[in-house]
Amino acid sequence: MGLVAGALYGALGVVLVGGGLVLRRQKSMDDVPLYDPDAADDPAALARLLGLSLAVFGLVTLAFGVAETFDRATGVVVGGYALVVLFVALVTAVRSRRYE
């Protein structure tokens, strides 16, 4: 079971890192669903911030996938993953308010 879950987390992590890097390189939010270009003061900075956040979230998910693959996902690992994801989301929310 660990190998299947690890592969799924790995695939999710790769997609998130790839999406984050693409968003950072494009420096544009035009292709993002539900984005209102008139609401942002600095869309390029917002794209860089969200791209970085996605990439960090993807890397953390990849690390969790490795732990899951080798059945090392203890309660501490799962809790740590949840806290890191929450921290990245909160920092992203706070910092993205500057650009709206």
Side-chain angles (χ1 to χ4, degrees):
M1 182 62 184
L3 185 60
V4 173
L8 292 174
Y9 278 112
L12 176 63
V14 167
V15 168
L16 288 170
V17 169
L21 293 176
V22 166
L23 192 58
R24 261 183 81 75
R25 262 189 236 123
Q26 280 184 343
K27 296 181 184 174
S28 171
M29 294 284 293
D30 294 338
D31 296 333
V32 177
L34 302 177
Y35 169 70
D36 181 14
D38 298 330
D41 293 336
D42 190 355
L46 182 60
R48 284 191 307 271
L49 173 68
L50 294 179
L52 178 63
S53 296
L54 280 175
V56 168
F57 180 55
L59 290 174
V60 171
T61 302
L62 281 171
F64 183 72
V66 169
E68 189 69 42
T69 299
F70 296 107
D71 291 327
R72 302 277 191 243
T74 63
V76 174
V77 172
V78 173
Y81 174 70
L83 287 175
V84 169
V85 167
L86 181 61
F87 179 74
V88 169
L90 289 174
V91 168
T92 302
V94 169
R95 294 199 49 143
S96 67
R97 299 293 290 170
R98 293 184 196 171
Y99 309 117
E100 293 179 355

